[in-house]
Amino acid sequence: MQIKSIIKTNVRRSSLILIAFVLLFSCTKRKATYSDTEVFRYNEHSNITSLDPAFAKDQRNIWAVNQLYNGLVVLDDSLHVKPAIAKEWNISEDGKHYQFTLRNDVFYHKHSLFGKDSTRKVNAKDFEYSFNRLLDKDVASPGGWVLQNVESFTAENDSVFSMQLKQPFPPFLGLLAMKYCSVVPKEAVAYFGNTFRANPIGTGPFQFKLWVENTKLVLRKNPLYFEKDNKGNQLPYLEAVAVTFLPDKQSEFLQFIQGNIDFMKSLDASYKDDILNTDGTLKEKYASRIIMQTGAYLNTEYLGIYLDGELETPTKSKLIRQAINYGFDREKMIKFLRNGIGTPATSGFIPNGLPSFNNQKGYSFNPEKARKLITQYKEETGDKNPKITVTTNSNYLDLCEFIQRELQKIGLDTKVDVIPPSTLRQGKASGKLPVFRASWIADYPDAENYVSLFYSKNFTPNGPNYTHFKNETFDELYEQSIKEVAVDKRYKLYQKMDSIIIEEAPIVPLYYDEVIRFRQKNVKGLGINPIDLLDLRRVKKD
């Protein structure tokens, strides 16, 4: 659909949303109006389901929660662990005991429930409460697994918080940077109960103002925020954040091009050819108006192959799995279907945004070898016409149809089945889909996050092993790796595990994704990072 035709169908709706924001900001008691340079505006097309950090599972929730809450530590744009509410920490020699010393200048957002002072200082007991809440079965947080290796934790006093692990786990600090581990006040959770999801009170750079579900979210600057820039100026610089929820990505694109939102994430098939050339550069008509940022993303897109169950399918044979891996041109796919955004996944499952990535040899396009593997399968099994079905959602239909055409050429009868995203998620978890399109975005910056998908004790629904892959050597290496404190030795173990995945082919790696962000030229200080976290603390607008 061309831009002109989009305008007709969306301008009225977009105008109503903009008018709503104007009315909202012009009716605040403290300040008559905000200038355009004081408000950061973006659209979240997939909506937000909760502002409670205990439910910060998806990027849509994580981005909003990141503006509202802090944890003990935080990751910078290079994925190094940095202090947040914990100003320093000590780790015992055996790697099991962590002791955090807290800052003494962190306060909760102002609210009447704190009494006449309207706020209070964060202390170690708050972390004790927040982590117990994360583990509470009645809360049913999807983030409880973050603390599965923790034996105990306690507030030694107001400013010291200690954690004891069951066994050494070197990536643990990175885990604590996840938004699940944010601190929340017991008073607020007790007061709001089930509605805490829509009445967040944290310590973050912005505080809650208004949430009209499916329509808009407004956050205001937190005047009590504890962080300052290197010149001593208090963060954040912005006065407010305004989020809309236009579900149509073409409408979002239109709003961005018209200058009505400041930022647009990712790349969608509906507008990628209008904004990008096939080599991944901006079209000339936009190059002078907007800025595109790209960088490595800890996300591997792949086809998963279910190896368990009674149903006999061709993909239970390693010959067919390897044939699929050899049978299509990843570089051609990235160039023409992704406009050059992404890197062909020819080096295993661990993506190139991680230091343990070593560019080992995986699968490259080799149709002759793929045909020989299929012929060998037919001779060994007597199956003269092997058939496979790849299940995907509509967002990845073009990729799967490309693979389908390529596999047909090597003699593998391939069908593509398109189902809704929610049905696809359920099918993956329940083992009902022999071949499924999937992606794995790292929760924390360590390759353990990727190899854990193939550990046999992590079979779904009790873990992330959607393929039900099981290999004794792999399991032994995995168990060694999570106890190995020496970084270099741990990386070598990860690489050995990745080599086993390449050989046994329980998945078909497609590409290592890239973070891609588009912003207006007057937006400054918006960084980019391999976990695609939106950090607005240092953002300014000219």
Side-chain angles (χ1 to χ4, degrees):
M1 186 182 292
Q2 298 299 313
I3 295 296
K4 289 182 180 178
S5 60
I6 299 172
I7 292 174
K8 275 189 175 181
T9 56
N10 293 294
V11 69
R12 185 180 177 190
R13 183 179 183 186
S14 302
S15 298
L16 289 172
I17 290 175
L18 289 170
I19 290 169
F21 276 123
V22 170
L23 290 173
L24 172 70
F25 288 127
S26 63
C27 292
T28 52
K29 292 180 180 178
R30 294 185 181 179
K31 190 170 182 178
T33 58
Y34 291 110
S35 70
D36 178 71
T37 59
E38 294 176 302
V39 184
F40 185 85
R41 305 155 301 168
Y42 76 94
N43 183 67
E44 181 53 73
H45 64 266
S46 56
N47 219 326
I48 289 172
T49 59
S50 176
L51 297 174
D52 182 343
F55 296 90
K57 179 181 181 181
D58 303 315
Q59 188 187 66
R60 54 186 173 174
N61 291 358
I62 291 170
W63 277 17
V65 165
N66 191 48
Q67 318 312 323
L68 293 162
Y69 294 92
N70 298 102
L72 290 165
V73 295
V74 67
L75 297 176
D76 67 13
D77 281 348
S78 299
L79 303 186
H80 298 132
V81 178
K82 298 293 184 180
I85 295 178
K87 63 181 180 181
E88 59 185 14
W89 54 86
N90 292 301
I91 304 172
S92 62
E93 287 187 10
D94 64 4
K96 291 184 182 180
H97 186 72
Y98 289 68
Q99 186 182 66
F100 299 90
T101 302
L102 308 188
R103 299 176 63 118
N104 64 358
D105 58 350
V106 182
F107 293 84
Y108 286 111
H109 299 153
K110 283 193 173 184
H111 196 281
S112 59
L113 65 88
F114 291 120
K116 67 175 184 178
D117 295 328
S118 300
T119 186
R120 72 166 175 82
K121 190 182 296 184
V122 172
N123 59 59
K125 280 285 186 184
D126 290 317
F127 279 99
E128 190 175 296
Y129 168 76
S130 299
F131 287 179
N132 276 319
R133 179 174 180 261
L134 202 59
L135 296 170
D136 189 340
K137 292 181 179 179
D138 291 335
V139 175
S141 166
W145 64 269
V146 173
L147 301 176
Q148 64 185 355
N149 190 39
V150 177
E151 185 176 273
S152 62
F153 48 83
T154 186
E156 295 185 19
N157 52 50
D158 281 354
S159 59
V160 178
F161 181 69
S162 295
M163 305 185 76
Q164 181 72 29
L165 305 189
K166 298 173 185 175
Q167 62 184 27
F169 187 66
F172 185 61
L173 277 177
L175 271 178
L176 291 179
M178 295 180 67
K179 300 317 295 182
Y180 289 132
C181 299
S182 302
V183 69
V184 297
K186 183 177 181 178
E187 303 96 316
V189 177
Y191 180 80
F192 288 110
N194 292 334
T195 65
F196 181 66
R197 61 176 287 279
N199 294 277
I201 297 176
T203 60
F206 297 91
Q207 58 191 19
F208 178 72
K209 178 66 178 179
L210 176 72
W211 183 22
V212 179
E213 295 194 45
N214 304 312
T215 304
K216 58 181 176 286
L217 169 69
V218 180
L219 309 177
R220 287 281 310 279
K221 178 177 182 175
N222 173 16
L224 301 176
Y225 192 57
F226 59 92
E227 286 192 278
K228 295 180 179 179
D229 65 16
N230 56 14
K231 294 182 179 179
N233 299 311
Q234 188 182 24
L235 300 175
Y237 302 126
L238 295 163
E239 282 292 335
V241 179
V243 187
T244 52
F245 300 104
L246 289 170
D248 179 29
K249 292 185 180 181
Q250 290 179 335
S251 300
E252 177 185 73
F253 176 57
L254 174 64
Q255 288 298 303
F256 177 71
I257 295 304
Q258 292 180 335
N260 295 326
I261 57 177
D262 298 303
F263 161 83
M264 187 173 67
K265 63 177 179 177
S266 72
L267 187 70
D268 189 69
S270 64
Y271 58 76
K272 68 179 178 62
D273 292 327
D274 186 78
I275 195 169
L276 292 185
N277 298 306
T278 56
D279 64 355
T281 57
L282 274 173
K283 288 282 182 73
E284 186 178 351
K285 62 181 176 180
Y286 297 123
S288 63
R289 298 168 49 195
I290 63 177
I291 292 175
M292 179 177 74
Q293 295 173 279
T294 60
Y297 189 17
L298 299 191
N299 175 32
T300 300
E301 298 282 343
Y302 67 100
L303 299 181
I305 300 171
Y306 188 67
L307 304 177
D308 212 347
E310 298 178 1
L311 184 65
E312 287 301 321
T313 60
T315 46
K316 286 194 174 178
S317 167
K318 184 166 76 171
L319 297 170
I320 293 296
R321 299 197 302 271
Q322 289 183 336
I324 296 170
N325 270 289
Y326 283 120
F328 65 100
D329 190 337
R330 291 169 175 82
E331 291 187 8
K332 183 178 176 183
M333 181 181 71
I334 293 296
K335 181 177 181 180
F336 294 106
L337 298 181
R338 294 273 304 166
N339 291 70
I341 301 300
T343 304
T346 57
S347 302
F349 190 60
I350 297 173
N352 59 0
L354 284 171
S356 50
F357 175 82
N358 73 338
N359 204 29
Q360 59 188 316
K361 186 177 180 181
Y363 292 96
S364 298
F365 184 44
N366 192 333
E368 183 179 347
K369 192 166 186 175
R371 289 189 188 96
K372 287 180 180 179
L373 288 165
I374 292 172
T375 300
Q376 184 181 346
Y377 168 81
K378 291 177 179 179
E379 291 172 350
E380 291 182 3
T381 64
D383 183 358
K384 300 303 181 185
N385 186 27
K387 299 179 180 179
I388 68 169
T389 298
V390 179
T391 305
T392 183
N393 60 38
S394 58
N395 287 339
Y396 294 85
L397 177 59
D398 57 344
L399 296 177
C400 291
E401 286 182 337
F402 169 80
I403 295 170
Q404 176 190 32
R405 290 191 296 270
E406 296 284 284
L407 297 183
Q408 300 280 19
K409 294 175 185 176
I410 61 169
L412 187 58
D413 192 349
T414 306
K415 176 187 174 185
V416 176
D417 189 15
V418 182
I419 60 177
S422 58
T423 309
L424 180 62
R425 286 193 295 269
Q426 292 169 4
K428 285 192 304 183
S430 60
K432 294 179 179 178
L433 307 175
V435 185
F436 51 87
R437 205 288 316 168
S439 62
W440 190 256
I441 302 173
D443 293 313
Y444 47 94
D446 191 280
E448 187 276 336
N449 203 221
Y450 286 87
V451 296
S452 68
L453 267 72
F454 306 100
Y455 183 50
S456 65
K457 293 182 180 180
N458 283 341
F459 279 5
T460 52
N462 300 316
N465 190 339
Y466 295 103
T467 63
H468 280 211
F469 174 76
K470 185 174 184 179
N471 180 286
E472 288 186 10
T473 303
F474 184 96
D475 284 354
E476 289 172 3
L477 291 169
Y478 177 80
E479 288 167 2
Q480 288 179 44
S481 72
I482 60 176
K483 298 175 183 177
E484 181 57 66
V485 177
V487 173
D488 291 343
K489 291 181 180 179
R490 192 166 77 250
Y491 286 175
K492 288 179 181 178
L493 291 170
Y494 292 154
Q495 289 157 6
K496 286 180 181 178
M497 284 184 271
D498 209 13
S499 295
I500 293 173
I501 297 305
I502 292 171
E503 170 63 24
E504 296 299 322
I507 59 166
V508 181
L510 302 178
Y511 61 91
Y512 311 121
D513 206 357
E514 288 185 343
V515 177
I516 179 167
R517 293 179 169 184
F518 302 95
R519 59 180 171 86
Q520 305 294 349
K521 281 210 163 182
N522 69 329
V523 175
K524 311 295 182 183
L526 182 64
I528 191 167
N529 52 78
I531 56 173
D532 199 15
L533 182 66
L534 184 64
D535 183 357
L536 299 178
R537 289 174 298 169
R538 292 173 171 81
V539 170
K540 293 180 180 179
K541 290 173 65 179
D542 291 341

